[in-house]
Amino acid sequence: MKVLVPVKRVVDYNVKVRVKSDQTGVDIANVKMSMNPFDEIAVEEATRLKEKGTVAEVVAVSCGVAQCQETLRTAMAIGADRGVLVQTDAELQPLAVAKLLKALVDKEQPQLVILGKQAIDDDANQTGQMLAALLDWPQATFASKVEVADGKVTVTREVDGGLETLTLKLPAIVTTDLRLNEPRYVTLPNIMKAKKKQLDTVTPQDLGVDPAPRLKTLKVSEPPARKAGIKVADVAALVDKLKNEAKVV
């Protein structure tokens, strides 16, 4: 059984994001980049399935600039067997990524695709769902537990009312939530081993996909600064402000 795990290169979650002065986007010059945390969880889950003997091969995939090779090497250090980079300098929106992944799925023929539920840069939460629609495969989103057996994948997901359990026939799409697992620490020996693993590079044209953006970003701006709070002398003053100023009571 083969598992495909898409991973995205994003601004590291510890970095304070800055908007460009011309408001055309986010400034990523000289900014630390890393693997999207939700995708890291997906790689960890696929690796655990391989360690259980359920999965024979884990293929990591990334779409973007040449530096995405670093992200793929990290995925291979965690446990992926090989990597595929769809290299392009074009702005990739969720639909374009889903189309590229569909082309790779048609080529690689995996039985399961595990990917993060969303990327922390655009927070779109669309790629997994779009990929499932394009492939006409069953999907389970926001997975907090994944079990594979007898040609089926059983996914426990968190919903507003508690937990929901879905059983899907393979092949299927699964998107990961934060509570699914805790990714392992990548050791230096595994980083060295990852450098020797196979990493193939293709272009969108090789896959027959046009990655041109369908949406245009008009402006990117920071949220307005929050006003400082104030202290009140007593409960009566608090109630008065809530009633007459905030008008919430």
Side-chain angles (χ1 to χ4, degrees), residues 37-55:
F38 290 102
D39 296 339
E40 197 172 357
I41 291 169
V43 177
E44 173 66 26
E45 191 64 23
T47 302
R48 293 186 184 187
L49 289 173
K50 188 180 74 169
E51 291 171 345
K52 291 178 182 176
T54 307
V55 171

Side-chain angles (χ1 to χ4, degrees), residues 11-242:
V11 175
D12 190 86
Y13 66 92
N14 286 315
V15 174
K16 180 175 174 57
V17 176
R18 302 187 306 272
V19 175
K20 292 181 179 178
S21 57
D22 59 2
Q23 296 187 317
T24 57
V26 173
D27 186 7
I28 60 172
N30 301 316
V31 170
K32 181 183 177 182
M33 307 292 283
S34 61
M35 187 190 303
N36 178 45
F38 290 102
D39 296 339
E40 197 172 357
I41 291 169
V43 177
E44 173 66 26
E45 191 64 23
T47 302
R48 293 186 184 187
L49 289 173
K50 188 180 74 169
E51 291 171 345
K52 291 178 182 176
T54 307
V55 171
E57 184 182 25
V58 177
V59 182
V61 177
S62 190
C63 305
V65 295
Q67 290 88 336
C68 291
Q69 292 184 28
E70 301 169 8
T71 308
L72 287 171
R73 293 294 180 193
T74 302
M76 289 188 278
I78 294 174
D81 296 292
R82 58 187 175 91
V84 179
L85 170 62
V86 183
Q87 186 170 332
T88 175
D89 293 328
E91 177 193 350
L92 292 176
Q93 295 176 350
L95 181 58
V97 175
K99 289 180 178 179
L100 292 170
L101 293 178
K102 179 187 181 298
L104 285 172
V105 168
D106 292 340
K107 180 180 178 181
E108 294 284 345
Q109 294 294 307
Q111 287 71 52
L112 183 63
V113 179
I114 306 178
L115 65 163
K117 70 172 185 177
Q118 66 194 75
I120 61 172
D121 52 1
D122 56 16
D123 275 334
N125 184 13
Q126 295 174 345
T127 304
Q129 294 88 328
M130 287 178 170
L131 178 60
L134 292 172
L135 289 169
D136 196 23
W137 283 10
Q139 62 174 311
T141 57
F142 314 147
S144 59
K145 185 178 180 181
V146 175
E147 295 176 330
V148 179
D150 303 323
K152 297 179 180 179
V153 55
T154 302
V155 176
T156 301
R157 58 195 301 269
E158 296 183 2
V159 294
D160 291 341
L163 298 176
E164 179 182 47
T165 302
L166 303 175
T167 300
L168 313 176
K169 288 184 179 180
L170 296 176
I173 307 290
V174 174
T175 70
T176 62
D177 208 343
L178 284 174
R179 292 176 182 83
L180 179 58
N181 61 52
E182 184 175 344
R184 68 194 66 189
Y185 177 76
V186 180
T187 61
L188 181 58
N190 286 338
I191 293 174
M192 300 306 293
K193 289 177 183 177
K195 292 182 178 180
K196 298 180 180 179
K197 291 184 178 180
Q198 180 181 347
L199 198 163
D200 300 319
T201 301
V202 296
T203 65
Q205 290 72 30
D206 295 335
L207 300 173
V209 176
D210 177 15
R214 265 60 175 178
L215 303 175
K216 181 180 179 181
T217 301
L218 300 179
K219 184 175 70 171
V220 177
S221 59
E222 294 185 9
R226 294 179 61 181
K227 295 181 179 179
I230 61 172
K231 292 183 178 181
V232 293
D234 50 33
V235 175
L238 173 62
V239 172
D240 177 68
K241 288 187 176 296
L242 290 174

